[in-house]
């Protein structure tokens, strides 16, 4: 993998520092619940299609009392796309070299009143450069006020950068996180964006603000709901809801399918799957 | 849907009578375990792409003490393939009319020592006619003797019809029931066949024998293992094994993907998914 240039290094450093802050906050929540759970970190390396070293990442995972299963991956990879794949990636049609750095997070929660959540932001380099990412909330037992609070934080982050972002990116999330075979949404949405090209600085600033918005939005929801009593019916609802989450990720999620079918790190890719799920 | 001709009616009648015998046998096993569980049957109808009635089927499902979740579907459908789909189906390139009748069965068992199992046989009509199907065993805790017994029954059925069948169809099952992203098999194999064309009578006789072999092979394995004690580690192994089963069906199984993406009966298609599965 080529040495990182200044933009790539800046993005990578941000994603890693965001990971550190998120994991520290999630561990702090575990302490508040009287648990000693910690993230365990597993580094992995990637071999490029050329046979050269192709970067790698660190998979962080915690099995806690509040966070039944949470994974936070950071990865920084590069090399050459396969010929077939290069044709489908902007800017790689003529020159298959690429670089990608990003963070991805999925949290499945023990208490059915606490929503599951997904967040991912990334910076891609081919002959073009762009940011992408988003965050979406997946409550088995949805509360309007939780959805509103989560969306408000994301809207505020969007509005600081472009008055059109929130509407466009929230709709993109609604369109993307959709199970056509059941005609239902995966959750209650959030934002999704991709191909954010142009000047590096403002796009990087927006992507950082999405991470900050996630940190402002999710932990308060966890703290608010994690002590709520629940019954067997709530737990049934959670396990069935997680089944829909599995269906989405294995049937439709582009990142999952791409990763699995091109020899990515299976443990890191499938870390998104829930600890337990039910199909009636 | 056009009226069934003699071959189609004969195949349909067989699949329905096989269903009746299998369900009766599985309910008999539940009685032996002291359970009152019964199959519940839900009929469903299909609307063809033309807007005309397109046949339908009956989804049978039981939640028992031995059979934690077992589904047995029979369906008899027909009409016209969509233009795009017709191009991928033998004999439908020029004339998109089709007819299909078949039985499909998936059993997920409560005791981790009892293997899960899948069986499916079908008769297709386009401008050509063929049988397809198979059966495969999916033990979380594999026993060599169980695998051998199951394969022996299938081999005997194959050998009565063609000396090349068992070797070809067992290899086909090994190739088909494979998870490339994990580089593991879904289970311990069985047989898989498709496009069995030519004379109707011998191919129908073979397909009936596959059903008979299933009835001879699986219930004895259930009775042998269903009373075995198991511990928490065995149950963990079962739940993780079922996770691999979910991955196969949602990522690779052609029938599942085709059904979901072309508006089939979701409940009948996803009846194959286990009652509970875990991803660590």
């Amino acid at each position: 993998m080529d040495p990182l240039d200044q933009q790539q290094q800046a993005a990578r450093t941000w994603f890693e520092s965001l990971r550190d802050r998120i994991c520290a906050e999630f561990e702090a929540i575990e302490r508040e619940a009287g648990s000693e759970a910690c993230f365990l970190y597993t580094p992995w390396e990637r071999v490029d299609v050329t046979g050269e070293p192709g970067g790698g990442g660190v998979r962080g995972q915690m099995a806690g009392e509040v966070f039944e299963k949470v994974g936070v991956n950071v990865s920084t990879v590069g090399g050459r796309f396969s010929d077939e794949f290069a044709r489908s990636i902007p800017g790689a049609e003529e020159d298959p070299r690429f670089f990608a750095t990003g963070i991805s997070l999925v949290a499945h929660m023990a208490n059915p009143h606490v929503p599951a959540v997904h967040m991912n932001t990334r910076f891609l380099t081919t002959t073009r450069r762009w940011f992408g990412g988003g965050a979406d909330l997946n409550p088995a037992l949805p509360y309007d006020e939780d959805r509103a609070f989560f969306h408000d934080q994301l809207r505020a982050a969007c509005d600081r950068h472009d008055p059109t972002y929130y509407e466009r990116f929230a709709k993109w999330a609604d369109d993307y996180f959709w199970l056509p075979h059941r005609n239902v949404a995966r959750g209650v949405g959030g934002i999704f964006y991709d191909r954010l090209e142009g000047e590096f600085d403002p796009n990087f600033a927006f992507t950082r603000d999405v991470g900050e918005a996630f940190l402002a939005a999710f932990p308060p929801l966890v703290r608010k709901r994690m002590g709520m009593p629940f019954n067997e019916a709530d737990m049934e609802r959670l396990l069935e809801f997680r089944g829909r989450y599995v269906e989405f990720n294995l049937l439709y999620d582009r990142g999952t399918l791409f990763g699995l079918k091109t020899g990515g790190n299976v443990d890191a890719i499938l870390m998104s799957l829930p600890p337990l799920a039910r199909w009636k």
Side-chain angles (χ1 to χ4, degrees), chain A:
Chain A
M1 195 167 87
D2 295 334
L4 277 57
D5 65 30
Q6 203 179 338
Q7 292 180 355
Q8 293 165 340
Q9 187 57 58
R12 173 197 191 145
T13 301
W14 161 255
F15 294 130
E16 291 178 352
S17 69
L18 179 63
R19 183 265 321 272
D20 293 344
R21 289 167 61 203
I22 289 171
C23 291
E25 181 72 1
F26 288 2
E27 290 181 350
I29 292 173
E30 287 290 329
R31 298 299 161 273
E32 293 163 28
S35 144
E36 302 287 313
C38 286
F39 274 89
L40 298 178
Y41 297 97
T42 309
W44 53 271
E45 293 187 353
R46 180 179 170 277
V47 176
D48 193 52
V49 290
T50 57
E52 299 289 309
V58 177
R59 175 165 66 88
Q61 196 169 332
M62 177 168 69
E65 303 280 317
V66 179
F67 292 83
E68 186 175 343
K69 177 180 174 185
V70 53
V72 188
N73 284 319
V74 290
S75 66
T76 300
V77 301
R80 285 168 188 268
F81 287 129
S82 70
D83 290 351
E84 192 188 336
F85 192 62
R87 282 192 285 275
S88 69
I89 301 290
E93 304 88 348
E94 310 272 290
D95 179 344
R97 286 176 297 176
F98 79 100
F99 167 86
T101 182
I103 180 173
S104 68
L105 175 160
V106 174
H108 294 285
M109 312 302 290
N111 186 316
H113 294 288
V114 184
V117 76
H118 159 254
M119 189 274 290
N120 160 241
T121 47
R122 55 194 178 271
F123 177 57
L124 272 288
T125 308
T126 59
T127 60
R128 311 174 80 148
R129 294 181 167 230
W130 69 93
F131 286 91
D136 71 300
L137 201 66
N138 297 271
L141 302 170
Y143 293 91
D144 285 347
E145 64 193 86
D146 291 3
R147 180 193 184 282
F149 179 77
F150 188 79
H151 275 261
D152 283 347
Q153 309 304 311
L154 292 169
R155 183 190 287 108
C158 288
D159 288 350
R160 279 195 291 278
H161 295 271
D162 187 307
T164 72
Y165 276 2
Y166 175 73
E167 197 178 338
R168 283 163 53 202
F169 298 163
K171 180 176 186 315
W172 203 340
D174 287 343
D175 292 343
Y176 184 77
F177 297 110
W178 183 255
L179 281 73
H181 63 286
R182 292 190 185 271
N183 214 30
V184 297
R186 182 172 87 167
V188 297
I191 62 168
F192 186 101
Y193 66 104
D194 204 1
R195 303 288 313 279
L196 198 66
E197 290 190 87
E199 276 190 83
F200 177 83
D201 286 347
N203 293 338
F204 184 32
F206 171 66
T207 293
R208 290 199 308 273
D209 267 0
V210 170
E212 299 289 354
F214 172 81
L215 259 173
F218 188 62
L221 295 179
V222 179
R223 290 189 168 96
K224 180 177 176 184
R225 302 286 174 202
M226 68 192 208
M228 285 179 72
F230 58 89
N231 58 30
E232 206 173 315
D234 298 330
M235 186 51 69
E236 281 301 301
R237 175 74 196 121
L238 176 67
L239 295 180
E240 283 195 51
F241 184 81
R242 287 177 176 173
R244 307 300 90 82
Y245 197 92
V246 172
E247 290 173 19
F248 179 84
N249 280 32
L250 296 182
L251 288 169
Y252 304 112
D253 186 61
R254 293 187 296 213
T256 302
L257 296 178
F258 169 70
L260 289 180
K261 293 182 178 181
T262 56
N265 183 276
V266 173
D267 292 328
I269 298 163
L270 294 184
M271 209 181 50
S272 64
L273 298 181
L276 203 61
R278 179 185 297 287
W279 285 268
K280 261 201 192 157

